[in-house]
């Protein structure tokens, strides 16, 4: 089974949940920016959550289906069409040979994810399918997809019962909460900043700058000043680290972040807020709210619990259809 790329879109790459275990060797984690959406796309198809998916950014591709397959999309609304009919997201779709899928510009959010039943047939690099464009590894030769590429899908499909549709649907309502503050816990260098700067950090609005990307979101807003001039040699970074460079304007490190960094970290975005942050586009305004480590754990446990409920429901529905 395979899909042919007719138009590649703006920045469409193969991703999974990340390339872990190599940061000490200088290898970036990468992976899907919105891991909630990527996981849901796979869960809808009863796939493993870490199967490879297509991450589509701002403007999606046009794809020709070359063999029958089952697919699902989740995330930003890219006005997807299926043979010129609206393609719903949040549910499995049975696509036939000769069908054409087209994606437009994102209406809300930034990124959408396309999964196929059983995943894509690609070679893992350091135990991950994820595309690292800077290192030129993973995905399709370490680059975004381009016109003429063939995306092979794994395995055979189960036979679809006659006139059977997929009677379940998952809403992407987390995209409707962009006005809520981005919650964080204190970073290792939180105490390096003046009391006034710490108050400003939580009471002010910041704007995501146009040169933001998968490596980091550059923010503009009030200048955040340190108590005294100090510099780090370097230390490890994570998805959501909020660095403050010498100009006092925050940078939030994202999926393609460098393994280590030398700017002090005022905070760390909590895990459960990263999907919402990843769907915010340049020009969007955001604010920050500190929460305790215990509260951050509780938010993450709830999100993982919600995901488990969705997974069990989709698994049961899938097994009902393919008895």
């Amino acid at each position: 089974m395979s899909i042919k790329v007719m138009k590649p879109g703006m920045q469409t790459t193969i991703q999974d949940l990340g390339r872990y275990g190599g940061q000490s060797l200088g290898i970036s984690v990468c992976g899907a920016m919105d891991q909630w959406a990527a996981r849901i796309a796979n869960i809808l198809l009863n796939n493993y959550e870490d199967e490879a998916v297509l991450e589509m950014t701002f403007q999606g591709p046009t794809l020709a289906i070359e063999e029958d397959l089952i697919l699902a999309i989740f995330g930003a609304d890219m006005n997807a069409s299926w043979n010129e009919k609206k393609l719903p997201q949040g549910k499995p779709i049975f696509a036939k040979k000769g069908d054409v899928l087209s994606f437009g510009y994102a209406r809300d959010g930034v990124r959408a994810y396309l999964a196929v039943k059983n995943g894509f047939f690609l070679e893992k690099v350091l135990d991950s399918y994820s595309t690292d464009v800077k290192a030129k590894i993973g995905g399709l030769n370490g680059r975004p997809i381009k016109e003429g590429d063939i995306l092979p899908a794994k395995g055979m499909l189960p036979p679809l019962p006659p006139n059977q549709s997929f009677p379940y649907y998952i809403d992407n309502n987390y995209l409707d909460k962009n006005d809520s503050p981005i919650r964080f816990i204190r970073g290792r260098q939180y105490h390096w900043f003046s009391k006034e700067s710490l108050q400003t950090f939580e009471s002010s609005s910041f704007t995501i700058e146009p040169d933001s990307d998968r490596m980091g979101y550059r923010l503009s807003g009030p200048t955040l000043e340190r108590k005294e001039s100090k510099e780090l040699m370097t230390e490890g970074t994570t998805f959501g680290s909020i660095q403050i460079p010498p100009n006092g304007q925050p940078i939030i490190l994202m999926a393609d972040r460098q393994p280590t960094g030398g700017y002090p970290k005022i905070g760390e975005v909590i895990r459960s807020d990263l999907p919402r942050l990843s769907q915010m586009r340049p020009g969007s305004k955001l604010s920050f709210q500190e929460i305790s480590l215990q509260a951050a754990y509780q938010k993450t446990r709830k999100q993982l619990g919600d995901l488990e409920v969705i997974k069990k429901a989709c698994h049961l529905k899938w097994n009902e259809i393919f008895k």
Side-chain angles (χ1 to χ4, degrees):
M1 298 180 291
S2 61
I3 299 172
K4 184 174 182 179
V5 179
M6 300 172 68
K7 295 179 181 179
M10 189 170 292
Q11 178 78 0
T12 307
T13 57
I14 297 287
Q15 300 293 342
D16 58 15
L17 299 184
R19 182 171 287 108
Y20 289 92
Q23 281 190 269
S24 63
L25 303 174
I27 299 166
S28 296
V29 175
C30 300
M33 283 277 279
D34 182 348
Q35 297 210 352
W36 175 265
R39 292 170 109 173
I40 292 292
N42 273 318
I43 287 170
L44 283 162
L45 300 177
N46 207 29
N47 286 348
Y48 293 115
E49 293 174 46
D50 60 351
E51 283 288 356
V53 293
L54 270 184
E55 180 180 88
M56 303 172 283
T57 307
F58 286 114
Q59 181 187 18
T62 299
L63 307 170
I65 306 301
E66 298 201 321
E67 299 290 343
D68 294 355
L69 53 79
I70 303 174
L71 57 88
I73 54 173
F74 200 75
D77 180 2
M78 289 190 171
N79 194 28
S81 64
W82 173 31
N83 298 333
E84 300 185 351
K85 297 180 293 185
K86 184 172 178 57
L87 176 65
Q89 69 162 288
K91 65 181 297 181
I93 299 294
F94 186 66
K96 296 184 178 181
K97 180 178 180 179
D99 287 350
V100 175
L101 309 181
S102 297
F103 297 84
Y105 288 96
R107 293 177 173 178
D108 56 11
V110 176
R111 296 171 175 89
Y113 295 83
L114 183 147
V116 298
K117 178 57 184 169
N118 298 323
F120 291 99
F121 188 70
L122 297 165
E123 184 176 352
K124 286 188 174 183
V125 177
L126 299 175
D127 203 33
S128 173
Y129 296 111
S130 285
T131 304
D132 185 335
V133 174
K134 290 181 173 60
K136 298 182 180 179
I137 61 173
L140 291 179
N141 301 314
R143 59 167 173 78
I145 66 171
K146 63 183 181 181
E147 183 178 346
D149 278 341
I150 301 296
L151 308 175
K154 292 179 183 176
M156 299 296 292
L157 292 178
L160 190 70
N163 302 317
Q164 179 66 66
S165 61
F166 294 92
Y168 56 99
Y169 168 80
I170 299 174
D171 191 6
N172 64 346
N173 58 10
Y174 74 107
L175 291 176
D176 298 329
K177 301 175 182 177
N178 286 350
D179 290 336
S180 302
I182 296 297
R183 293 164 293 190
F184 73 96
I185 59 172
R186 294 184 180 186
R188 286 170 58 87
Q189 290 79 41
Y190 180 86
H191 61 282
W192 284 23
F193 295 87
S194 67
K195 181 178 179 180
E196 293 76 17
S197 288
L198 295 175
Q199 292 174 342
T200 297
F201 182 59
E202 285 199 70
S203 63
S204 302
S205 176
F206 295 86
T207 303
I208 300 175
E209 289 296 291
D211 56 349
S212 300
D213 57 18
R214 281 180 48 92
M215 188 172 183
Y217 281 8
R218 292 184 179 274
L219 307 183
S220 61
T223 299
L224 304 178
E225 298 180 349
R226 307 179 203 177
K227 292 178 184 177
E228 54 187 277
S229 179
K230 290 184 180 181
E231 296 298 335
L232 288 172
M233 183 69 72
T234 190
E235 64 180 25
T237 64
T238 190
F239 196 166
S241 292
I242 310 169
Q243 295 184 323
I244 310 297
N247 67 2
Q249 300 297 292
I251 300 171
I252 309 177
L253 300 184
M254 305 299 282
D256 285 356
R257 66 198 175 276
Q258 70 276 18
T260 63
Y263 294 143
K265 295 184 284 294
I266 196 172
E268 305 281 348
V269 176
I270 68 172
R271 178 177 174 178
S272 58
D273 277 6
L274 290 174
R276 183 163 56 90
L277 175 64
S278 296
Q279 292 287 0
M280 298 181 76
R281 58 179 64 199
S284 297
K285 294 186 179 298
L286 59 83
S287 59
F288 294 98
Q289 178 185 6
E290 183 189 355
I291 66 171
S292 68
L293 182 60
Q294 182 180 8
Y297 279 139
Q298 290 172 346
K299 298 292 184 185
T300 297
R301 283 197 294 267
K302 181 182 184 306
Q303 189 180 66
L304 293 176
D306 291 344
L307 193 71
E308 195 63 29
V309 170
I310 292 170
K311 187 193 301 185
K312 288 179 179 178
C314 289
H315 180 72
L316 287 173
K317 290 293 186 181
W318 188 273
N319 286 343
E320 286 175 10
I321 294 170
F322 299 106
K323 293 179 180 179

